[in-house]
């Protein structure tokens, strides 16, 4: 790799790049462009070489920024690319390798230059550089020059949606997607969310707007198809069988080896197994889709890309499109569902699933009607199970997806009918046979327990408990281990409550200054009573308030199951009776008295029946008595409470969360893109 790395570092001395960034204007018809674009280059994929490429590009860009106002060479390069793309579709059909190869190389150079320009200047300055022409200052040639940015953006979109995806077009399709991401990357260099942007305006109005639905559809299909990259070194020119150089087939005036032939991650180097298995076009397309979907609305125009994502339908849906949304289209939902199930290991795919379930009612209805819902739910549960290895945003998205799914009663019923065998990734206990519903409960409870001991994130607690609450009325045939874990969680909360209560009591006693001073009953503490406390004492009071909210929710979940489906859950009643002493301290607590009535009644009723049956009862006999008692228990004796139902609602200004998150994914995951971390303003490296 040393030789290749040194080759990158020598790029600033390359005579053709020096001429491009030099003081001599180059017309778009100059033979120079054939010479400049006749190189073979497989894009670096490791961070060290990408960093070297960035540094080499910066050197060329500094000179180009200085000289371009007089030479207009950036505009000439772009016009050369635009002229060559006009025949790309025919070139692909005719297998014209040379034409596609040079168009790709032109776009690659443009992308490298743009990335540096955008990171070092305002959009207004960038726009100005697109207007410079040969031997002139700002152009006076009218709309054609003024709209060179729009023309390039429109050309990139056309390239993505119109050029067929073949081995020989894969690289230029990927480069077009990458260049659009780079165009939008100005957000990375601003701390605030961009609500007014020149590039956004071009993409959401004018010539680009009619391509909205086709672009979204193509990016989705790129994600769905997961097309592998063709073998490096074979998709442009095949090497000669006699071991000679690359067959350029270029006019005689072109020297081979103008740029060193790079083989980074390609011919002559061993690609990692991970890279061989991935689809860079699918990955990059998904990132671009997420970026476009999260552009902010303008005062007069809602984001058309988000509108397209919100409204597309299944190819089997024959209902008419709404006239209010011109960006609707159809896509194969079965293929989309399969791809979403297969790709959930990545943040990006989980975020896409969240967006579709939350914003597109057609997708949500389709997903909830699937009879193989376990194929989607299991990968989501795995994300939560491996919470220690995932970033917090990925965990949040997975959890919110579960919350959205549990809003549907049909989902809550069906998951208990799906029986799973041998869940190998669940390590705490061998689960040879368990329902999807019971497994979901186990994983959510495990997430709560992890959060209690590690992150102490109230938001995570709230959403976990909301998902359990939504399911509670439909709990069916709970696995004995799931029932045990519900009660074990309550036990953990009870111990936590006692500990926090003791700390709070000691703090209050200390503030009163005497061990003999009478303490107010903790049942009736108000936060206002604690305002004169120190920060530590106030925190104890707040902790007590939070833990009591969680305990209340757990009691409501248990109560909901008992009142709605007691006869379906003998294992939960068994676990409740086995740990009945846990609930004693909460019977007279004013925060829990009402909800404890039903639980206390169930415990008393079944305890009495077990006492009548005698001592030394086997587990099987106890369960039999519980099943018989469930039929005999008068349902009218259980107090009715409002149904537990929680609905996910995005917070106000969701872009404050999603835009930094999406760009952190681009920063960390984009194929062959490197930005200097010192330049990033949108997020800290920890959040990225």
């Amino acid at each position: 790799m040393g030789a290749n790395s040194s080759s990158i570092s020598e790029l600033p001395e390359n005579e053709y790049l020096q001429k491009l960034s030099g003081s001599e204007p180059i017309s778009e018809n100059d033979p120079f462009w054939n010479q400049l674009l006749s190189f073979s280059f497989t894009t670096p994929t490791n961070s060290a070489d990408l960093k070297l490429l960035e540094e080499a590009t910066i050197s060329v860009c500094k000179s180009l920024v200085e000289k371009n106002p007089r030479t207009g060479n950036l505009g000439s390069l772009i016009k050369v690319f635009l002229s060559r793309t006009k025949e790309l579709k025919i070139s692909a059909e005719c297998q014209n390798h040379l034409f596609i190869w040079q168009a790709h190389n032109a776009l690659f150079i443009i992308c490298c230059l743009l990335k540096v320009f955008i990171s070092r200047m305002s959009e207004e300055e960038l726009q100005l550089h697109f207007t410079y022409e040969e031997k002139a200052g700002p152009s006076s040639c009218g709309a054609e020059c003024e709209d060179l940015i729009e023309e390039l953006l429109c050309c990139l979109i056309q390239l993505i949606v119109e050029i067929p995806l073949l081995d020989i077009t894969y690289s230029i399709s990927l480069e077009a997607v990458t260049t659009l991401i780079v165009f939008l990357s100005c957000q990375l260099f601003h701390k605030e969310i961009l609500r007014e942007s020149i590039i956004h305006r071009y993409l959401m109005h004018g010539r680009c707007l009619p391509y909205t639905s086709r672009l979204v559809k193509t990016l989705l299909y790129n994600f769905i198809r997961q097309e592998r990259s063709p073998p490096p070194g074979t998709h442009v020119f095949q090497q000669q069988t006699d071991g000679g150089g690359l067959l350029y087939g270029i006019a005689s005036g072109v020297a081979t080896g103008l740029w060193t032939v790079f083989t980074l991650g390609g011919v002559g180097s061993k690609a990692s197994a991970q890279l061989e298995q991935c689809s860079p076009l699918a990955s990059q397309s998904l990132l671009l889709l997420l970026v476009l979907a999260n552009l902010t609305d303008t005062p007069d125009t809602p984001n058309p890309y988000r509108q397209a994502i919100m409204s597309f339908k299944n190819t089997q849906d024959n209902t008419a499109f709404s006239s209010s949304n011109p960006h609707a289209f159809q896509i194969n939902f079965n293929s989309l569902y399969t791809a979403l199930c297969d790709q959930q290991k990545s943040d990006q795919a989980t975020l896409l699933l969240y967006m579709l379930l939350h914003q597109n009612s057609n997708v949500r209805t389709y997903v909830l009607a699937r009879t193989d819902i376990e194929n989607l739910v299991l990968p989501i549960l795995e994300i939560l199970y491996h919470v220690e290895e995932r970033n917090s945003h990925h965990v949040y998205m997975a959890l919110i997806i579960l919350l959205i799914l549990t809003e549907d009663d049909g989902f809550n019923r069906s998951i208990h009918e799906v029986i799973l065998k041998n869940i190998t990734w669940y390590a705490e206990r061998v689960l040879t046979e368990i329902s999807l519903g019971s497994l979901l409960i186990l994983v959510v409870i495990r997430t709560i327990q992890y959060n209690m001991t590690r992150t102490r994130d109230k938001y995570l607690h709230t959403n976990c408990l909301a998902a359990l609450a939504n399911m509670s009325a439909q709990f069916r045939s709970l696995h004995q281990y799931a029932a045990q874990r519900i009660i074990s969680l309550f036990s953990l909360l009870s111990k936590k409550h006692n500990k926090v209560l003791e700390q709070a009591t000691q703090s209050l006693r200390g503030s009163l200054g005497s061990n003999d001073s009478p303490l107010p009953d903790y049942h009736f503490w108000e936060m206002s009573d604690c305002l004169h406390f120190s920060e530590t004492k106030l925190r104890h009071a707040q902790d007590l308030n939070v833990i009591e909210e969680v305990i209340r929710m757990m009691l409501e979940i248990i109560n909901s199951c008992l009142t709605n489906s007691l006869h379906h859950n003998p294992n939960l009643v068994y676990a409740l009776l086995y740990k009945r002493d846990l609930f004693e301290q909460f019977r007279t607590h004013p925060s829990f008295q009402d909800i404890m009535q039903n639980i206390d009644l169930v415990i008393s009723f079944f305890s009495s029946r077990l006492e009548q049956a005698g001592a030394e009862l086997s587990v099987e006999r106890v369960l039999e008595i519980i099943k018989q008692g469930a039929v005999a228990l008068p349902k009218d004796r259980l107090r009715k409470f409002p149904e537990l139902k929680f609905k996910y609602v995005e917070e106000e200004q969701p872009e404050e969360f999603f835009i930094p998150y999406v760009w952190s994914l681009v920063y960390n995951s984009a194929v062959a893109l490197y930005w200097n971390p010192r330049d990033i303003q949108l997020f800290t490296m920890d959040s990225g």
Side-chain angles (χ1 to χ4, degrees):
M1 190 61 76
N4 291 322
S5 299
S6 66
S7 299
I8 295 177
S9 64
E10 291 165 6
L11 286 178
E13 282 73 51
N14 179 276
E15 60 175 302
Y16 296 96
L17 289 178
Q18 285 183 336
K19 185 172 180 179
L20 174 67
S21 59
S23 54
E24 180 186 344
I26 311 166
S27 78
E28 54 194 280
N29 299 316
D30 196 300
F32 162 82
W33 299 110
N34 275 340
Q35 298 169 335
L36 175 70
L37 303 179
S38 299
F39 63 86
S40 178
F41 185 91
T42 301
T43 309
T45 53
N46 69 68
S47 57
D49 286 328
L50 285 167
K51 186 177 180 182
L52 279 174
L53 179 60
E54 170 89 352
E55 290 165 353
T57 310
I58 288 171
S59 174
V60 175
C61 278
K62 282 181 179 176
S63 177
L64 185 59
V65 168
E66 181 187 342
K67 309 286 176 49
N68 188 56
R70 291 186 296 278
T71 66
N73 284 346
L74 176 64
S76 295
L77 171 62
I78 290 167
K79 288 173 186 175
V80 168
F81 168 71
L82 292 173
S83 69
R84 299 189 181 215
T85 56
K86 288 173 184 173
E87 305 297 329
L88 267 183
K89 195 169 184 181
I90 296 172
S91 299
E93 291 167 358
C94 300
Q95 297 284 304
N96 188 334
H97 295 245
L98 173 61
F99 203 87
I100 295 170
W101 171 51
Q102 288 200 340
H104 168 267
N105 288 351
L107 184 55
F108 176 77
I109 297 172
I110 291 168
C111 187
C112 289
L113 296 175
L114 275 177
K115 190 158 69 66
V116 177
F117 272 53
I118 289 169
S119 68
R120 279 165 169 71
M121 63 179 67
S122 68
E123 283 190 300
E124 290 73 19
E125 290 175 277
L126 177 69
Q127 190 177 36
L128 201 56
H129 272 279
F130 274 72
T131 67
Y132 293 127
E133 280 208 309
E134 180 183 345
K135 299 178 183 174
S139 169
S140 58
C141 68
E144 182 185 347
C145 298
E146 291 171 1
D147 288 338
L148 195 57
I149 289 182
E150 183 175 41
E151 197 169 343
L152 178 55
L153 286 168
C154 199
C155 174
L156 293 172
I157 294 172
Q158 288 171 336
L159 199 159
I160 293 167
V161 303
E162 293 180 353
I163 304 301
L165 189 58
L166 310 168
D167 276 5
I168 60 172
T169 60
Y170 191 99
S171 289
I172 195 168
S173 297
L174 175 58
E175 202 62 48
V177 172
T178 302
T179 307
L180 280 177
I181 291 174
V182 167
F183 254 123
L184 290 159
S185 66
C186 50
Q187 177 65 78
L188 281 171
F189 313 107
H190 292 80
K191 284 186 179 178
E192 304 299 323
I193 301 301
L194 288 180
R195 300 183 188 279
E196 290 289 335
S197 161
I198 292 169
I199 305 302
H200 294 187
R201 207 156 53 238
Y202 278 125
L203 288 170
M204 293 166 65
H205 299 84
R207 292 173 57 192
C208 294
L209 186 61
Y211 291 97
T212 297
S213 58
R214 289 178 67 190
L215 179 58
V216 171
K217 184 175 183 176
T218 302
L219 295 174
L220 274 172
Y221 268 127
N222 286 348
F223 166 71
I224 288 169
R225 289 171 180 145
Q226 294 289 316
E227 292 281 356
R228 305 255 178 119
S229 177
T234 63
H235 57 290
V236 178
F237 290 100
Q238 299 293 335
Q239 287 192 299
Q240 291 182 359
T241 54
D242 62 2
L246 292 174
L247 289 175
Y248 289 140
I250 301 177
S252 58
V254 180
T256 60
L258 299 175
W259 286 26
T260 306
V261 177
F262 289 102
T263 56
L264 309 181
V267 177
S269 69
K270 200 169 182 180
S272 70
Q274 184 178 4
L275 283 174
E276 286 173 359
Q277 291 170 6
C278 74
S279 169
L281 180 60
S283 173
Q284 210 87 321
S285 294
L286 179 53
L287 289 171
L288 176 57
L289 183 64
L290 295 174
V291 170
L292 290 171
N294 285 283
L295 298 180
T296 55
D297 297 335
T298 61
D300 58 336
T301 310
N303 179 346
Y305 302 96
R306 187 183 302 119
Q307 283 188 313
I309 285 172
M310 290 171 65
S311 59
F312 70 81
K313 302 192 301 184
N314 194 353
T315 48
Q316 296 180 347
D317 186 344
N318 296 318
T319 58
F321 285 112
S322 168
S323 57
S324 62
N325 187 355
H327 306 299
F329 61 91
Q330 289 180 298
I331 203 165
N332 187 308
F333 276 19
N334 183 58
S335 301
L336 176 62
Y337 180 80
T338 302
L340 287 168
C341 294
D342 291 344
Q343 301 300 321
Q344 283 306 310
K345 286 194 169 109
S346 78
D347 281 74
Q348 300 91 282
T350 304
L351 181 52
L352 175 64
L353 175 58
Y354 158 77
M355 282 170 42
L356 295 179
L357 287 175
H358 178 55
Q359 298 177 359
N360 190 313
S361 59
N362 300 319
V363 173
R364 185 168 60 251
T365 301
Y366 176 86
V367 166
L368 289 168
R370 291 285 300 207
T371 56
D372 59 349
I373 193 69
E374 67 273 15
N375 291 339
L376 188 69
V377 175
L378 281 172
I380 298 298
L381 294 183
E382 259 197 274
I383 294 167
L384 292 176
Y385 184 81
H386 297 292
V387 59
E388 303 93 337
E389 303 163 20
R390 304 289 181 181
N391 69 70
S392 60
H393 288 10
H394 198 185
V395 171
Y396 285 152
M397 289 300 101
L399 195 51
I400 292 168
I401 285 167
L402 287 186
L403 180 55
I404 292 171
L405 293 173
T406 61
E407 291 170 15
D408 183 76
D409 285 342
F411 171 84
N412 295 331
R413 285 190 296 272
S414 66
I415 54 176
H416 293 288
E417 296 166 5
V418 177
I419 304 302
L420 308 168
K421 308 277 189 183
N422 300 316
I423 307 301
T424 55
W425 48 263
Y426 194 93
E428 280 83 350
R429 178 164 171 156
V430 176
L431 299 175
T432 54
E433 187 173 289
I434 188 169
S435 72
L436 179 60
S438 288
L439 181 64
L440 198 160
I441 292 165
L442 286 176
V443 172
V444 171
I445 286 175
R446 186 179 182 275
T447 306
I448 294 173
Q449 290 180 324
Y450 173 84
N451 188 46
M452 284 177 65
T453 56
R454 307 282 183 86
T455 54
R456 295 164 59 84
D457 184 331
K458 186 179 178 182
Y459 180 86
L460 203 66
H461 261 4
T462 302
N463 284 285
C464 284
L465 291 167
L468 287 176
N470 282 347
M471 293 189 292
S472 58
Q474 273 88 30
F475 282 173
R476 293 289 187 277
S477 305
L478 289 185
H479 191 281
Q480 62 181 38
Y481 185 52
Q484 289 169 18
R485 298 310 296 163
I486 291 172
I487 305 303
S488 294
L489 175 58
F490 187 81
S491 174
L492 187 66
L493 291 167
S494 176
K495 290 173 186 174
K496 179 83 171 172
H497 177 266
N498 293 340
K499 182 180 177 182
V500 172
L501 179 61
E502 184 181 350
Q503 291 171 337
T505 304
Q506 288 174 351
S507 293
L508 183 59
R509 193 184 296 279
S511 70
L512 295 174
S514 168
N515 288 337
D516 300 325
S517 303
L519 289 174
D521 192 325
Y522 73 84
H523 296 168
F524 301 102
W525 281 6
E526 297 289 344
M527 292 305 296
S528 58
D529 296 333
C530 307
L531 292 178
H532 64 287
F533 292 175
S534 69
E535 271 189 42
T536 303
K537 297 181 180 71
L538 184 58
R539 190 178 69 250
H540 288 320
Q542 289 171 333
D543 285 350
L544 186 65
N545 186 46
V546 169
I547 197 73
E548 288 189 354
E549 283 180 13
V550 176
I551 286 175
R552 168 82 190 188
M553 182 74 99
M554 278 303 298
L555 288 171
E556 287 182 345
I557 289 166
I558 294 169
N559 178 71
S560 173
C561 176
L562 295 178
T563 53
N564 289 285
S565 53
L566 182 146
H567 56 294
H568 289 299
N569 293 289
N571 284 327
L572 182 63
V573 176
Y574 184 99
L576 198 65
L577 294 171
Y578 191 75
K579 293 282 188 178
R580 69 189 83 175
D581 294 345
L582 277 177
F583 298 88
E584 191 65 35
Q585 63 175 307
F586 299 106
R587 289 176 65 188
T588 56
H589 193 299
S591 297
F592 311 125
Q593 269 183 325
D594 59 335
I595 206 75
M596 276 299 301
Q597 288 179 20
N598 285 345
I599 296 171
D600 198 33
L601 187 151
V602 168
I603 290 173
S604 300
F605 177 83
F606 284 99
S607 295
S608 173
R609 292 181 77 92
L610 290 175
E611 286 171 11
Q612 293 170 15
E616 304 295 327
L617 299 174
S618 66
V619 173
E620 291 76 14
R621 178 62 182 141
V622 171
L623 284 170
E624 186 183 337
I625 293 168
I626 289 171
K627 288 173 184 176
Q628 293 168 350
V631 178
L633 177 67
K635 300 295 185 293
D636 56 354
R637 290 180 59 189
L638 295 174
R639 179 181 167 185
K640 295 292 182 186
F641 286 86
E643 186 182 11
L644 283 183
K645 271 296 172 189
F646 293 87
K647 187 175 178 62
Y648 169 71
V649 179
E650 273 188 351
E651 294 185 8
E652 288 185 22
Q653 297 187 309
E655 66 273 10
E656 298 289 343
F657 171 85
F658 285 104
I659 290 177
Y661 179 33
V662 168
W663 278 106
S664 74
L665 297 179
V666 173
Y667 176 82
N668 287 306
S669 309
V671 179
L673 277 177
Y674 168 85
W675 286 277
N676 189 326
R678 292 192 299 272
D679 295 336
I680 306 299
Q681 297 292 316
L682 181 61
F683 50 81
T684 64
M685 288 304 105
D686 287 337
S687 69

